[in-house]
Amino acid sequence: MSNSVDLRPASTGQRAAEGTLERPMAQAQPGAIVEPEGEIAITIENLSLWYGPKQALTNVSMKIPARKVTALIGPSGCGKSTLLRCINRMNDLIPTVRIQGSLYYHGVNLYGPDIDPVEVRRRIGMVFQKPNPFPKSIYDNVAFGARVNGFKGNLDQLVEQSLRRAALWEEVKDNLKKSGLALSGGQQQRLCIARAIANQPDVILMDEPCSALDPIATLKIEDLMRELVKDYTIIIVTHNMQQAARVSDYTAFMLTDEQVTGQLVEYGPTEELFTTPKDRRTEDYISGRFG
Amino acid sequence: MQESLPITGASAQLRGAELERAMRKRWSKAPFERLIVLSLWLCGTVSMITTVLIVLTLAEETRAFFMEVPLRDFIFDTKWTPQFEPAHFGVWPLVFGTLNVLFWSMVLALPLGLAAAIYLSEYAHPNTRRILKPVLEALAGVPTVVYAFFALTVVTQDILRPLLGQDRVPIFNALSASIVMAVMILPTIASVSEDAMSNVPRELREGAYGLGATRLEVAFRVVFPAALGGIIAAVLLAVARVIGETMIVAVAAGSTPQITLNPLNSVQTMTGYMLAIGLGDSARGTVDYTSIFAVGSTLFIFTFCANVAANIIVKKFKEQYE
């Protein structure tokens, strides 16, 4: 465990002191960032990210609990999608990106020199903002991950189970050969969730999964999330505060202000964050005063 | 307090007949508009009429040819010796000349061109692509006569003969023509396919990466099928150029019509024959002369069929992502 970062208070104090030497930082309120109880799936430590010369995340540190829904909220440009995409190394696909800090998945540093991002993404699946089924049949969409990952087993069964899990089976079971693009927006998004589930991941990242959907389709996806969280760790980015309040167990509020881009302002159990926010900026945001 | 700007202007106050008049089509704009439409129509019609005239001329001279030579001979005879006695007019030796060069140039250019396209679209750094693509496209600007003499001198004399043996490689051979033809069409295949692949939406790629696909899997399982329509169009463009290319085959491939796909033979293609006779002194109305049109019609039928086939293939296999 020589690779893991020392969490003793003296060390963190030292770290903060070094930070202040470099430049004044808007400190999070004491106690505003809570450590969740129970098993931790992902630990983010002092994560900073730059797109070329432009900084997008600054010193984000948080622990994400296993088998819970964690919501990342905040106004546009606060870095919540960027943070989400760090977790399965999606940002690696952007040529100019630079990342500092570390991100542990069950104790393994995902940005370690010998870690293959492809293996990371097999364990940490993703559902995108715009439903993006492949222009292939429904069956081939769900089977895609299994096929590229050399799945040895009953593919038909896997496809059926995944579609059932995504609450789509009853609607498509007679048309598995039909193109995934022939489905409605909400169905397409559930197909994308089924596709992610078929990979048998541990964590599912969702980047504003309902922003392109109507309210009824949105409710279906939200119900599905509550159902899936019994087995999976779900991290969701959302613009919609009601959605965060409805589906998540923990909520993180992020913000970009004049001094710091992409900082984590407050993080804790959803109910506490929405009823008794500890930071003034969180209170302003959730009461609709800006953003 | 400052007086607020009225939200509705005067035009929003009109009602009834006045409103109707204000919303009528304005014919004062019409003459100019009509002039534009007319000139566009003319441009379209001229090119259409030209095409029709070309086809008519081709058909008329071809008909004259078949007055002299039975269609049966043209299709079933296996020799093409219009200028010897006894004259034979079996078109297959010329067709095979074309197929020979087409086949071997595609064998060389397809894998290279598609690999280049996949590299440029999926692997290359944006800066690399910015430099490489124009360089590649510059290859398409080389005049074919330069390629032709390059095939005859450098490829045949300096490469093929030392490599495979003087006695096995005739001075005129299909392989040298195929090789330079492959170089000539490589940029077309690579560049047009690359455009089609780059146009595949980023979301599709991200979806595949998010499922743990490697770059190669993303390229072959998602991007390639989604771009297939454009890729086939690219290949078809290349096929059309090879079939229609005249200078390279006339100079480098020889003038021996024969039914063979062996690239080390000397062959004559359809275009090669047409050029050879067209340059000669065959008088108008002779069989020699009209045979050019018969061969031209054959060529036309081949490219036409290739086009139709490609359209069917594209419709059948293309993965629509819109």
Side-chain angles (χ1 to χ4, degrees):
Chain A
M1 289 298 281
S2 61
N3 206 12
S4 75
V5 170
D6 199 343
L7 282 176
R8 281 169 302 173
S11 164
T12 32
Q14 194 186 354
R15 205 174 294 273
E18 281 166 10
T20 15
L21 279 181
E22 282 171 47
R23 64 169 175 156
M25 290 208 331
Q27 284 287 336
Q29 294 274 317
I33 293 170
V34 172
E35 183 167 324
E37 290 158 16
E39 192 192 342
I40 299 298
I42 285 158
T43 306
I44 300 168
E45 280 173 3
N46 292 318
L47 193 76
S48 298
L49 180 145
W50 292 260
Y51 293 120
K54 211 172 137 262
Q55 186 157 18
L57 290 175
T58 308
N59 272 327
V60 175
S61 295
M62 66 191 285
K63 293 188 171 193
I64 296 171
R67 286 178 301 282
K68 292 273 190 293
V69 177
T70 302
L72 306 178
I73 63 168
S76 299
C78 71
K80 53 193 191 300
S81 278
T82 302
L83 180 63
L84 190 79
R85 283 160 168 266
C86 282
I87 300 174
N88 69 342
R89 294 192 57 171
M90 250 355 220
N91 285 326
D92 287 25
L93 301 172
I94 300 161
T96 58
V97 86
R98 190 161 63 82
I99 294 167
Q100 240 175 43
S102 32
L103 205 154
Y104 295 92
Y105 165 71
H106 292 298
V108 177
N109 186 357
L110 294 183
Y111 286 88
D114 295 330
I115 298 294
D116 183 354
V118 168
E119 290 297 330
V120 172
R121 294 180 201 129
R122 284 173 190 182
R123 287 166 180 79
I124 304 179
M126 189 158 196
V127 175
F128 297 83
Q129 181 170 2
K130 195 179 147 215
N132 59 347
F134 302 126
K136 302 176 189 291
S137 72
I138 292 169
Y139 186 98
D140 287 343
N141 261 284
V142 182
F144 184 91
R147 283 181 178 146
V148 300
N149 295 329
F151 174 77
K152 294 192 180 55
N154 190 333
L155 203 56
D156 291 354
Q157 210 181 338
L158 178 77
V159 169
E160 179 176 341
Q161 278 172 355
S162 307
L163 284 169
R164 278 189 193 282
R165 223 46 243 273
L168 190 61
W169 174 252
E170 291 302 324
E171 293 159 59
V172 302
K173 63 182 175 190
D174 300 324
N175 291 312
L176 292 177
K177 289 232 159 61
K178 215 165 75 172
S179 167
L181 288 168
L183 299 173
S184 73
Q187 288 174 323
Q188 286 188 12
Q189 198 61 302
R190 275 179 286 150
L191 178 62
C192 293
I193 293 174
R195 190 172 73 176
I197 292 172
N199 241 2
Q200 296 164 306
D202 181 36
V203 179
I204 302 175
L205 309 177
M206 298 187 174
D207 190 357
E208 298 187 40
C210 303
S211 65
L213 305 182
D214 64 63
I216 292 170
T218 299
L219 275 182
K220 276 194 180 156
I221 304 272
E222 288 179 5
D223 287 346
L224 183 58
M225 274 189 249
R226 289 316 312 174
E227 177 60 33
L228 292 173
V229 79
K230 293 169 187 162
D231 299 308
Y232 303 99
T233 301
I234 295 179
I235 307 169
I236 173 178
V237 160
T238 178
H239 254 113
N240 180 333
M241 278 183 280
Q242 282 76 30
Q243 182 169 61
R246 280 194 300 262
V247 300
S248 72
D249 303 295
Y250 285 85
T251 299
F253 171 61
M254 296 180 68
L255 188 64
T256 290
D257 59 23
E258 295 83 10
Q259 291 139 7
V260 188
T261 50
Q263 58 183 321
L264 179 64
V265 172
E266 185 158 354
Y267 175 49
T270 298
E271 214 181 304
E272 282 177 31
L273 189 130
F274 277 99
T275 53
T276 53
K278 296 190 177 64
D279 193 297
R280 181 63 199 272
R281 293 168 291 179
T282 314
E283 195 182 339
D284 286 350
Y285 183 69
I286 60 175
S287 58
R289 234 162 281 169
F290 72 91
Chain B
M1 226 179 86
Q2 202 181 345
E3 201 180 336
S4 66
L5 198 73
I7 293 168
T8 50
S11 67
Q13 312 286 340
L14 298 176
R15 292 292 179 274
E18 272 186 318
L19 178 61
E20 211 233 303
R21 201 176 312 123
M23 293 175 74
R24 260 185 217 154
K25 284 180 185 165
R26 254 166 246 175
W27 288 106
S28 57
K29 273 189 192 164
F32 182 66
E33 194 97 350
R34 266 185 246 172
L35 195 72
I36 296 278
V37 172
L38 185 74
S39 58
L40 290 178
W41 182 85
L42 268 177
C43 294
T45 313
V46 164
S47 63
M48 220 170 67
I49 289 173
T50 316
T51 312
V52 170
L53 287 180
I54 289 173
V55 173
L56 282 181
T57 317
L58 207 57
E60 170 55 29
E61 298 288 352
T62 306
R63 197 187 58 82
F65 174 77
F66 285 117
M67 301 287 271
E68 309 255 344
V69 179
L71 183 63
R72 187 161 31 84
D73 287 1
F74 191 69
I75 297 175
F76 292 110
D77 201 334
T78 55
K79 285 201 191 95
W80 182 266
T81 54
Q83 287 168 309
F84 304 120
E85 282 301 330
H88 286 276
F89 290 96
V91 78
W92 289 107
L94 294 182
V95 172
F96 267 84
T98 298
L99 289 181
N100 192 330
V101 174
L102 176 65
F103 178 77
W104 291 107
S105 59
M106 282 297 156
V107 162
L108 296 170
L110 265 189
L112 281 176
L114 292 182
I118 288 174
Y119 168 74
L120 284 176
S121 144
E122 303 303 308
Y123 287 86
H125 190 274
N127 289 337
T128 319
R129 177 167 52 226
R130 232 187 336 265
I131 296 165
L132 274 187
K133 221 184 156 195
V135 171
L136 194 67
E137 282 166 354
L139 268 183
V142 178
T144 57
V145 68
V146 174
Y147 278 121
F149 284 99
F150 183 76
L152 185 62
T153 56
V154 179
V155 177
T156 300
Q157 311 266 40
D158 298 343
I159 300 173
L160 292 179
R161 287 192 136 180
L163 216 61
L164 301 173
Q166 292 281 346
D167 45 338
R168 290 187 57 202
V169 185
I171 181 77
F172 300 112
N173 62 79
L175 188 58
S176 63
S178 303
I179 290 172
V180 294
M181 206 86 97
V183 174
M184 180 185 82
I185 60 177
L186 198 96
T188 309
I189 296 179
S191 171
V192 179
S193 305
E194 197 270 333
D195 286 342
M197 290 181 179
S198 298
N199 281 335
V200 172
R202 200 177 51 119
E203 291 90 41
L204 283 187
R205 285 194 182 84
E206 287 193 334
Y209 280 121
L211 291 169
T214 61
R215 265 181 201 274
L216 199 69
E217 285 160 348
V218 172
F220 279 101
R221 289 175 186 250
V222 175
V223 178
F224 196 87
L228 192 67
I231 292 169
I232 288 180
V235 172
L236 193 76
L237 220 64
V239 167
R241 275 201 74 181
V242 172
I243 293 181
E245 172 52 37
T246 309
M247 201 42 105
I248 295 175
V249 286
V251 170
S255 49
T256 322
Q258 54 178 317
I259 300 184
T260 175
L261 285 179
N262 181 350
L264 292 180
N265 278 349
S266 172
V267 299
Q268 188 166 44
T269 67
M270 292 189 262
T271 50
Y273 171 76
M274 289 161 76
L275 183 73
I277 298 300
L279 287 177
D281 40 18
S282 351
R284 235 187 134 138
T286 61
V287 181
D288 276 0
Y289 176 80
T290 53
S291 72
I292 299 177
F293 292 90
V295 173
S297 296
T298 315
L299 196 59
F300 177 73
I301 288 167
F302 269 84
T303 47
F304 184 77
C305 290
N307 255 316
V308 172
N311 268 325
I312 293 170
I313 293 170
V314 169
K315 272 220 183 80
K316 204 163 172 188
F317 292 107
K318 192 187 171 196
E319 292 187 338
Q320 291 288 346
Y321 52 78
E322 295 296 343

Short mmCIF file of all heavy atoms in Angstrom, two decimals, chain B residues 266-296:
data_model
loop_
_atom_site.label_atom_id
_atom_site.label_comp_id
_atom_site.label_asym_id
_atom_site.label_seq_id
_atom_site.Cartn_x
_atom_site.Cartn_y
_atom_site.Cartn_z
N SER B 266 1.64 -9.18 -70.63
CA SER B 266 1.36 -7.93 -71.32
C SER B 266 -0.11 -7.99 -71.74
O SER B 266 -0.55 -8.99 -72.29
CB SER B 266 2.28 -7.84 -72.54
OG SER B 266 1.91 -6.75 -73.32
N VAL B 267 -0.87 -6.96 -71.43
CA VAL B 267 -2.31 -6.98 -71.73
C VAL B 267 -2.72 -5.70 -72.44
O VAL B 267 -1.97 -4.72 -72.48
CB VAL B 267 -3.15 -7.12 -70.44
CG1 VAL B 267 -2.83 -8.40 -69.71
CG2 VAL B 267 -2.97 -5.90 -69.54
N GLN B 268 -3.93 -5.73 -73.00
CA GLN B 268 -4.50 -4.49 -73.51
C GLN B 268 -5.87 -4.29 -72.88
O GLN B 268 -6.69 -5.22 -72.86
CB GLN B 268 -4.64 -4.51 -75.02
CG GLN B 268 -5.06 -3.16 -75.58
CD GLN B 268 -4.89 -3.05 -77.07
OE1 GLN B 268 -5.22 -3.95 -77.81
NE2 GLN B 268 -4.34 -1.93 -77.53
N THR B 269 -6.10 -3.12 -72.34
CA THR B 269 -7.39 -2.85 -71.71
C THR B 269 -8.32 -2.23 -72.74
O THR B 269 -7.91 -1.88 -73.84
CB THR B 269 -7.24 -1.86 -70.54
OG1 THR B 269 -6.85 -0.61 -71.08
CG2 THR B 269 -6.21 -2.35 -69.54
N MET B 270 -9.58 -2.08 -72.35
CA MET B 270 -10.55 -1.47 -73.24
C MET B 270 -10.12 -0.05 -73.61
O MET B 270 -10.12 0.34 -74.77
CB MET B 270 -11.93 -1.44 -72.57
CG MET B 270 -12.52 -2.84 -72.39
SD MET B 270 -14.24 -2.81 -71.84
CE MET B 270 -14.06 -3.04 -70.09
N THR B 271 -9.73 0.72 -72.60
CA THR B 271 -9.32 2.10 -72.87
C THR B 271 -8.04 2.12 -73.71
O THR B 271 -7.89 2.96 -74.59
CB THR B 271 -9.08 2.86 -71.56
OG1 THR B 271 -8.22 2.07 -70.73
CG2 THR B 271 -10.38 3.12 -70.85
N GLY B 272 -7.14 1.17 -73.41
CA GLY B 272 -5.88 1.11 -74.15
C GLY B 272 -6.14 0.88 -75.63
O GLY B 272 -5.53 1.54 -76.50
N TYR B 273 -7.07 0.00 -75.93
CA TYR B 273 -7.42 -0.27 -77.33
C TYR B 273 -8.02 0.97 -77.99
O TYR B 273 -7.65 1.35 -79.10
CB TYR B 273 -8.41 -1.43 -77.41
CG TYR B 273 -8.97 -1.60 -78.80
CD1 TYR B 273 -8.21 -2.18 -79.81
CD2 TYR B 273 -10.25 -1.15 -79.10
CE1 TYR B 273 -8.71 -2.32 -81.09
CE2 TYR B 273 -10.77 -1.28 -80.37
CZ TYR B 273 -9.99 -1.86 -81.38
OH TYR B 273 -10.48 -1.98 -82.65
N MET B 274 -8.94 1.61 -77.27
CA MET B 274 -9.61 2.77 -77.84
C MET B 274 -8.60 3.86 -78.18
O MET B 274 -8.69 4.51 -79.22
CB MET B 274 -10.67 3.31 -76.87
CG MET B 274 -11.88 2.38 -76.77
SD MET B 274 -12.86 2.67 -75.31
CE MET B 274 -13.70 4.15 -75.76
N LEU B 275 -7.63 4.05 -77.29
CA LEU B 275 -6.62 5.06 -77.55
C LEU B 275 -5.77 4.68 -78.76
O LEU B 275 -5.52 5.50 -79.66
CB LEU B 275 -5.72 5.24 -76.32
CG LEU B 275 -4.67 6.34 -76.46
CD1 LEU B 275 -5.33 7.70 -76.38
CD2 LEU B 275 -3.58 6.21 -75.41
N ALA B 276 -5.35 3.42 -78.79
CA ALA B 276 -4.47 2.96 -79.87
C ALA B 276 -5.15 3.16 -81.23
O ALA B 276 -4.53 3.67 -82.17
CB ALA B 276 -4.11 1.49 -79.66
N ILE B 277 -6.41 2.77 -81.36
CA ILE B 277 -7.12 2.92 -82.62
C ILE B 277 -7.47 4.37 -82.89
O ILE B 277 -7.35 4.86 -84.03
CB ILE B 277 -8.41 2.06 -82.63
CG1 ILE B 277 -8.06 0.58 -82.48
CG2 ILE B 277 -9.21 2.28 -83.90
CD1 ILE B 277 -7.16 0.05 -83.58
N GLY B 278 -7.88 5.07 -81.84
CA GLY B 278 -8.25 6.47 -82.00
C GLY B 278 -7.09 7.31 -82.51
O GLY B 278 -7.26 8.29 -83.25
N LEU B 279 -5.85 6.94 -82.13
CA LEU B 279 -4.68 7.69 -82.57
C LEU B 279 -4.27 7.31 -83.99
O LEU B 279 -3.56 8.04 -84.67
CB LEU B 279 -3.49 7.41 -81.64
CG LEU B 279 -3.55 8.03 -80.26
CD1 LEU B 279 -2.34 7.58 -79.45
CD2 LEU B 279 -3.60 9.54 -80.36
N GLY B 280 -4.71 6.11 -84.43
CA GLY B 280 -4.28 5.60 -85.73
C GLY B 280 -5.03 6.27 -86.88
O GLY B 280 -5.66 7.30 -86.70
N ASP B 281 -4.99 5.63 -88.03
CA ASP B 281 -5.59 6.27 -89.19
C ASP B 281 -6.80 5.51 -89.71
O ASP B 281 -6.99 5.35 -90.90
CB ASP B 281 -4.54 6.44 -90.29
CG ASP B 281 -3.66 5.21 -90.37
OD1 ASP B 281 -4.07 4.15 -89.85
OD2 ASP B 281 -2.56 5.31 -90.91
N SER B 282 -7.61 4.98 -88.77
CA SER B 282 -8.80 4.28 -89.22
C SER B 282 -9.81 5.32 -89.71
O SER B 282 -10.10 6.29 -89.02
CB SER B 282 -9.45 3.47 -88.11
OG SER B 282 -8.62 3.45 -86.99
N ALA B 283 -10.33 5.10 -90.86
CA ALA B 283 -11.26 6.05 -91.45
C ALA B 283 -12.62 5.92 -90.79
O ALA B 283 -12.99 4.85 -90.32
CB ALA B 283 -11.38 5.81 -92.95
N ARG B 284 -13.30 7.03 -90.77
CA ARG B 284 -14.65 7.04 -90.24
C ARG B 284 -15.52 6.05 -90.98
O ARG B 284 -15.43 5.96 -92.20
CB ARG B 284 -15.24 8.44 -90.42
CG ARG B 284 -15.74 9.01 -89.11
CD ARG B 284 -16.46 10.30 -89.37
NE ARG B 284 -17.69 10.24 -88.60
CZ ARG B 284 -18.15 11.27 -87.92
NH1 ARG B 284 -17.52 12.42 -87.98
NH2 ARG B 284 -19.26 11.16 -87.24
N GLY B 285 -16.32 5.29 -90.26
CA GLY B 285 -17.23 4.37 -90.91
C GLY B 285 -16.66 2.98 -91.07
O GLY B 285 -17.39 2.05 -91.34
N THR B 286 -15.32 2.82 -90.94
CA THR B 286 -14.77 1.47 -91.03
C THR B 286 -15.09 0.71 -89.76
O THR B 286 -15.48 1.29 -88.74
CB THR B 286 -13.24 1.50 -91.20
OG1 THR B 286 -12.69 2.13 -90.05
CG2 THR B 286 -12.83 2.26 -92.44
N VAL B 287 -14.89 -0.61 -89.82
CA VAL B 287 -15.17 -1.43 -88.64
C VAL B 287 -14.22 -1.06 -87.51
O VAL B 287 -14.60 -1.00 -86.34
CB VAL B 287 -15.06 -2.92 -88.98
CG1 VAL B 287 -15.37 -3.77 -87.75
CG2 VAL B 287 -15.99 -3.27 -90.11
N ASP B 288 -12.95 -0.80 -87.86
CA ASP B 288 -11.98 -0.35 -86.85
C ASP B 288 -12.53 0.81 -86.06
O ASP B 288 -12.47 0.85 -84.83
CB ASP B 288 -10.69 0.11 -87.55
CG ASP B 288 -9.78 -1.07 -87.84
OD1 ASP B 288 -10.18 -2.19 -87.50
OD2 ASP B 288 -8.70 -0.83 -88.42
N TYR B 289 -13.02 1.78 -86.83
CA TYR B 289 -13.50 3.01 -86.21
C TYR B 289 -14.70 2.75 -85.30
O TYR B 289 -14.74 3.17 -84.15
CB TYR B 289 -13.85 4.02 -87.30
CG TYR B 289 -14.45 5.30 -86.80
CD1 TYR B 289 -13.63 6.31 -86.28
CD2 TYR B 289 -15.83 5.51 -86.84
CE1 TYR B 289 -14.17 7.49 -85.81
CE2 TYR B 289 -16.38 6.69 -86.37
CZ TYR B 289 -15.55 7.67 -85.86
OH TYR B 289 -16.08 8.83 -85.39
N THR B 290 -15.69 2.04 -85.81
CA THR B 290 -16.89 1.82 -85.00
C THR B 290 -16.62 0.87 -83.83
O THR B 290 -17.31 0.93 -82.82
CB THR B 290 -18.05 1.25 -85.85
OG1 THR B 290 -17.58 0.08 -86.52
CG2 THR B 290 -18.55 2.25 -86.85
N SER B 291 -15.58 0.04 -83.97
CA SER B 291 -15.29 -0.88 -82.86
C SER B 291 -14.94 -0.09 -81.59
O SER B 291 -15.21 -0.55 -80.49
CB SER B 291 -14.14 -1.82 -83.23
OG SER B 291 -12.93 -1.11 -83.26
N ILE B 292 -14.34 1.09 -81.76
CA ILE B 292 -14.04 1.93 -80.59
C ILE B 292 -15.31 2.19 -79.80
O ILE B 292 -15.34 2.11 -78.57
CB ILE B 292 -13.45 3.29 -81.03
CG1 ILE B 292 -12.15 3.09 -81.79
CG2 ILE B 292 -13.21 4.17 -79.82
CD1 ILE B 292 -11.57 4.41 -82.30
N PHE B 293 -16.39 2.49 -80.55
CA PHE B 293 -17.65 2.82 -79.87
C PHE B 293 -18.28 1.59 -79.23
O PHE B 293 -18.89 1.69 -78.16
CB PHE B 293 -18.62 3.50 -80.85
CG PHE B 293 -18.13 4.86 -81.26
CD1 PHE B 293 -17.31 5.01 -82.36
CD2 PHE B 293 -18.47 5.97 -80.52
CE1 PHE B 293 -16.85 6.26 -82.72
CE2 PHE B 293 -18.00 7.23 -80.87
CZ PHE B 293 -17.19 7.37 -81.97
N ALA B 294 -18.12 0.45 -79.90
CA ALA B 294 -18.65 -0.78 -79.30
C ALA B 294 -17.94 -1.07 -77.98
O ALA B 294 -18.58 -1.37 -76.96
CB ALA B 294 -18.46 -1.95 -80.26
N VAL B 295 -16.61 -0.92 -77.99
CA VAL B 295 -15.85 -1.13 -76.75
C VAL B 295 -16.23 -0.07 -75.72
O VAL B 295 -16.40 -0.38 -74.53
CB VAL B 295 -14.33 -1.11 -77.05
CG1 VAL B 295 -13.55 -1.15 -75.75
CG2 VAL B 295 -13.95 -2.27 -77.94
N GLY B 296 -16.40 1.16 -76.19
CA GLY B 296 -16.82 2.24 -75.28
C GLY B 296 -18.15 1.93 -74.62
O GLY B 296 -18.32 2.13 -73.41
#
